[in-house]
Amino acid sequence: MSEFDLIGRYFAALGPERSDVVLGVGDDCALLEIPAGQTLAVSIDTLASGVHFFADCDPEHIGHKSLAVGLSDLAAMGAEPAWATLALTLPESDENWIRAFATGFGRLASAHGMRLVGGDTTRGPLSVAVQVHGLVPTGAAIRRSGARPGEAIFVSGTLGDAGLALRRKLAGEPVAPELWHRLECPEPRVALGRHLRGIASAMIDLSDGLAGDLGHILAASAVGAELELERLPLTSWVAEVVAATDDWSLPLASGDDYELCFCVPPAHIPVVERLSETLGLTLTQVGWIRSDAGLDVRRPDGGQLRMPARGYDHFPAANDGAD
Ligand SMILES: Nc1ncnc2c1ncn2[C@@H]1O[C@H](COP(=O)(O)OP(=O)(O)OP(=O)(O)O)[C@@H](O)[C@H]1O
Ligand SMILES: Cc1ncc(C[n+]2csc(CCOP(=O)(O)O)c2C)c(N)n1
Ligand SMILES: [Mg+2]
């Protein structure tokens, strides 16, 4: 099947039609209308074979995850998903693979009212780059820079499940299907992000791990924080590993969580508790923002945790100085 046949058959109509798409797949550019009073939020993420997913991974899941990580960035700004573009690099034109990929991508796009409006298809080592475009009322986006001393730090869902799935797979151990799902099919917290407009002062999505990603909020806001490990929301799988090893790197630094971490003034804590019930999503306070710089991680016995690695890094510091 030719490049243009593939595009026409699998990528010309993914996601719902939208009235703000003046021109979608098929011309040199897409043409998109930004509604009055809205600001465009844009983010791009690449998933590379062997780095972000295993080469033999279910292509439907690769389609899902390649869009989910971008949706998670939109969620972290409080933005509403609108349009996506997709750059697909494939070693061969395997129609079964492409159909399954488009199914996973299209299902998630439809669930969030997002239309695929363009892209690029080339031959090469398998990699997928997705640019997402979202809309947020002007002035309402939630940045990393708004955290203030005295605010509560919350996270959604549970932490470390995807990291545990990856660790078990790399060790050749069996992985429970629910854990595997957390790694391959993360659920971006888009509704939560939108509901936190006007409530959260700062927000980030957790792609590299709580310690590192919260560190980005602290740096952008010029504040510090205290985290209490006993408050971390863990599934029994992760809790067992932590209890057996006293190693907190899974929930703090393994990455791939795609949960939201956000800060709220104390007066808004009851709103967050109600939101948790409305959305049926666990929202857990894990610590406090303070004015002293740095991240202080408290163990259940009150002692201080020597910080593990700060989070996933494609070019870790061991390379520093080498060029
Ligand atoms: N090659 C690049 N050129 C320009 N800006 C970049 C480049 N790579 C990253 N950035 C920007 O640097 C910032 C941090 O990038 P990063 O990819 O770590 O985003 P993130 O949201 O923290 O993580 P994730 O990619 O997991 O969503 C973002 O504002 C991003 O747009
Ligand atoms: C096969 C395989 N090996 C390792 C990982 C773990 N991993 C890769 S990139 C990343 C951080 C987020 O990426 P980015 O910073 O590029 O957004 C994490 C946690 C995986 N998912 N699959
Ligand atoms: Mg992000």
Side-chain angles (χ1 to χ4, degrees):
M1 185 171 249
S2 82
E3 179 187 330
F4 301 105
D5 290 341
L6 276 178
I7 295 167
R9 180 167 302 181
Y10 295 108
F11 298 114
L14 277 193
E17 288 188 36
R18 293 177 57 103
S19 58
D20 49 18
V21 178
V22 180
L23 191 61
V25 169
D27 211 311
D28 296 302
C29 291
L31 298 175
L32 308 164
E33 282 288 328
I34 300 172
Q38 303 276 314
T39 295
L40 181 63
V42 180
S43 175
I44 186 165
D45 276 288
T46 303
L47 299 195
S49 177
V51 177
H52 296 87
F53 58 85
F54 294 96
D56 62 355
C57 167
D58 181 341
E60 206 171 309
H61 294 173
I62 300 173
H64 174 102
K65 187 165 178 178
S66 66
L67 181 57
V69 299
L71 285 168
S72 180
D73 281 319
L74 292 181
M77 301 303 289
E80 195 77 58
W83 316 299
T85 53
L86 163 67
L88 199 50
T89 304
L90 301 168
E92 57 187 338
S93 109
D94 174 346
E95 201 176 339
N96 287 331
W97 193 98
I98 293 166
R99 185 186 308 111
F101 174 91
T103 299
F105 189 102
R107 188 182 299 124
L108 189 63
S110 296
H112 291 280
M114 187 176 229
R115 178 75 167 182
L116 183 67
V117 294
D120 188 35
T121 308
T122 57
R123 182 191 290 269
L126 178 59
S127 104
V128 186
V130 176
Q131 182 157 44
V132 292
H133 308 76
L135 297 169
V136 60
T138 298
I142 308 171
R143 306 178 186 206
R144 297 177 179 182
S145 53
R148 297 292 172 260
E151 290 181 344
I153 305 167
F154 277 82
V155 296
S156 63
T158 55
L159 304 179
D161 304 315
L164 181 56
L166 179 63
R167 186 185 283 186
R168 294 214 164 132
K169 162 95 174 169
L170 291 173
E173 293 166 9
V175 186
E178 297 94 319
L179 270 185
W180 190 246
H181 194 78
R182 291 279 286 156
L183 177 65
E184 287 207 337
C185 296
E187 215 42 71
R189 306 305 189 186
V190 175
L192 173 61
R194 185 192 334 113
H195 278 95
L196 286 170
R197 285 180 206 150
I199 307 293
S201 60
M203 180 148 62
I204 190 168
D205 70 314
L206 300 178
S207 52
D208 294 337
L210 177 63
D213 288 328
L214 175 58
H216 293 310
I217 287 189
L218 304 184
S221 302
V223 293
E226 193 159 316
L227 268 189
E228 293 179 13
L229 291 175
E230 67 187 342
R231 291 175 177 257
L232 293 186
L234 308 179
T235 57
S236 54
W237 292 295
V238 172
E240 275 170 28
V241 174
V242 170
T245 59
D246 196 34
D247 174 3
W248 291 85
S249 61
L250 277 182
L252 290 179
S254 60
D256 269 331
D257 295 304
Y258 298 106
E259 297 294 347
L260 294 180
C261 171
F262 54 94
C263 304
V264 293
H268 285 160
I269 292 177
V271 184
V272 174
E273 287 165 355
R274 282 200 295 280
L275 197 50
S276 172
E277 279 177 34
T278 312
L279 297 175
L281 176 62
T282 312
L283 302 175
T284 309
Q285 190 189 341
V286 295
W288 294 95
I289 296 292
R290 59 172 198 199
S291 51
D292 288 353
L295 179 58
D296 188 356
V297 183
R298 289 281 150 195
R299 301 171 52 85
D301 63 11
Q304 198 174 359
L305 183 80
R306 256 196 75 243
M307 279 301 290
R310 296 281 293 174
Y312 194 94
D313 187 339
H314 288 286
F315 301 101
N319 290 346
D320 278 359
D323 41 27

